[in-house]
Amino acid sequence: MTESIECAVIGAGVVGLAAARALALDGKEVIVLEAGDAIGTETSSRNSEIIHAGIYYPPRSLKARLCVRGRELIYDYLKVHGIEHRICGKLIVAIDDGETAMLRDLTKRGAENGVDDLEWLDGSAAARLEPALRCRAAILSPSTGIFDSHAFMLSLRGEAEKHGAVFAFMAPVTGGGMSNNGIVLNVGGKAPMNIFCRTVVNSAGHGAWDVAAALNGFPAALVPPHHLAKGSYFYLSGKAPFEHLIYPAPGAASLGLHYTRDLGGQGRFGPDMEWVDEIDYAVDAALGAGFLAAISRYWPQAASRELVPGYAGVRPKIQAPGEKAHDFVIQGEAEHGICGLINLFGIESPGLTASLAIAEKIAHMVAYE
């Protein structure tokens, strides 16, 4: 027997939750199919919980546009729904002349992306803000913040359900195919079923590649490469050294070992960057020595403090090691020719910040199918 529904959202990470809410608010009949037993158990809950300003990403890219728009939307959402957050600001720091030139380029890029509140600081001005910091120059991003991402995801789920969305857990999508005027999904789990959907939003995170590949009739050439980038975090014992978030000049594939703090004041450093072949969330304590060496470049007192292994996340990357960073991939009918199917690939940072803007874009795509 085949059930019918208007919209199926695959994946209950933060983007899937935001999409389900947006579609339900538009009056769509929505089911969320999640392979796990709860919301946000993978990439969405293993990050820095930062609201990014939109500085780093190439102008006119999806990452740039959706991050800047998402920052506006998420701050409004957090205020309206009373979700704890703090606009603490961020310092991106340069240690030498080469990094100073890189920061100059970042300032220009941020301005092109619409981040109009950046402030250039020399080393002494940065030290007045953060006395424990050592740097040649810094960019102050006052609109960067931190928030309770778990409360945010719970709120998105509640909003979606309030407007009629239904959640099915332990319900992996195992296959499917194109049908007249829609898509049939094969759903596994304890109660296997087939669901006919007018619209399918494939926001399954790392699983999005398998879902797309399992849909009969979807062009294999349009499934992009899938690479795994592991990032570990270490907690800092004792008193937090900084009030602002502290970021080094970014590397080619990551933003470097940055300092963040949670809403309770606990300091942490990370993530590092390790290409892996499988998802593994264990944190190797031996990495601590390398963390301390990197952190000491901008915080000389780091060697006198203890780092404790924290947690790890694994990002879904489209680019391979050594390749240029790839943009988000959001595929609709215009890209693959299949009415009603929206695939999301490579939704890594700034996906958390951009989640409401991604959902807004998805709802617009569905409205104009």
Side-chain angles (χ1 to χ4, degrees), residues 134-180:
R134 182 186 69 186
C135 64
R136 182 76 55 89
I139 301 170
L140 171 62
S141 171
S143 58
T144 299
I146 56 177
F147 75 119
D148 186 340
S149 64
H150 301 279
F152 176 58
M153 288 190 284
L154 286 171
S155 178
L156 291 174
R157 178 184 178 180
E159 284 275 293
E161 290 180 324
K162 178 181 175 182
H163 290 88
V166 175
F167 283 73
F169 295 98
M170 305 299 288
V173 174
T174 58
M178 315 313 155
S179 180
N180 292 333

Side-chain angles (χ1 to χ4, degrees), residues 22-338:
L23 293 170
L25 283 170
D26 278 353
K28 306 294 186 184
E29 182 189 23
V30 179
I31 186 170
V32 180
L33 302 170
E34 167 56 44
D37 60 359
I39 63 172
T41 58
E42 295 186 351
T43 309
S44 298
S45 60
R46 296 176 172 274
N47 53 66
S48 302
E49 294 190 301
I50 292 172
I51 299 172
H52 291 287
I55 303 167
Y56 298 97
Y57 318 107
R60 295 172 295 281
S61 66
L62 283 175
K63 285 185 176 180
R65 291 188 284 112
L66 295 175
C67 182
V68 172
R69 173 62 176 159
R71 182 195 68 200
E72 298 171 357
L73 292 173
I74 204 168
Y75 275 133
D76 287 345
Y77 188 98
L78 298 176
K79 291 173 187 174
V80 168
H81 294 274
I83 297 170
E84 190 175 4
H85 65 285
R86 180 183 175 196
I87 306 175
C88 54
K90 172 172 69 177
L91 290 169
I92 308 172
V93 301
I95 306 304
D96 54 35
D97 289 341
E99 292 182 354
T100 300
M102 186 184 300
L103 259 57
R104 293 285 187 190
D105 291 338
L106 269 184
T107 304
K108 295 176 183 176
R109 180 180 296 180
E112 288 184 73
N113 289 345
V115 185
D116 56 7
D117 60 354
L118 301 179
E119 182 180 350
W120 183 267
L121 304 176
D122 61 20
S124 59
R128 285 194 293 273
L129 279 182
E130 294 288 1
L133 180 66
R134 182 186 69 186
C135 64
R136 182 76 55 89
I139 301 170
L140 171 62
S141 171
S143 58
T144 299
I146 56 177
F147 75 119
D148 186 340
S149 64
H150 301 279
F152 176 58
M153 288 190 284
L154 286 171
S155 178
L156 291 174
R157 178 184 178 180
E159 284 275 293
E161 290 180 324
K162 178 181 175 182
H163 290 88
V166 175
F167 283 73
F169 295 98
M170 305 299 288
V173 174
T174 58
M178 315 313 155
S179 180
N180 292 333
N181 301 315
I183 299 159
V184 175
L185 297 179
N186 308 134
V187 183
K190 292 183 178 179
M193 68 180 81
N194 296 328
I195 304 177
F196 173 81
C197 318
R198 293 293 302 275
T199 299
V200 170
V201 179
N202 175 14
S203 57
H206 287 290
W209 282 262
D210 290 339
V211 168
L215 294 177
N216 291 329
F218 187 80
L222 293 182
V223 181
H226 180 203
H227 301 282
L228 307 179
K230 181 178 179 178
S232 296
Y233 293 81
F234 278 72
Y235 290 115
L236 176 68
S237 64
K239 183 180 177 181
F242 305 110
E243 290 295 319
H244 296 77
L245 310 181
I246 309 295
Y247 275 56
S254 76
L255 301 184
L257 287 177
H258 49 263
Y259 167 82
T260 65
R261 55 188 300 173
D262 62 25
L263 292 164
Q266 171 75 62
R268 62 191 172 204
F269 290 93
D272 62 352
M273 173 69 174
E274 178 188 4
W275 295 100
V276 295
D277 295 325
E278 59 185 24
I279 294 176
D280 170 19
Y281 295 128
V283 178
D284 183 357
L287 295 172
F291 268 63
L292 284 173
I295 296 160
S296 295
R297 296 185 69 239
Y298 59 82
W299 182 36
Q301 291 79 25
S304 65
R305 300 288 292 275
E306 181 184 2
L307 294 181
V308 179
Y311 60 97
V314 179
R315 292 182 177 181
K317 296 272 190 182
I318 293 175
Q319 74 270 17
E323 293 181 350
K324 184 179 178 181
H326 205 289
D327 200 4
F328 293 154
V329 170
I330 301 178
Q331 294 176 343
E333 184 178 3
E335 288 73 34
H336 51 54
I338 300 169

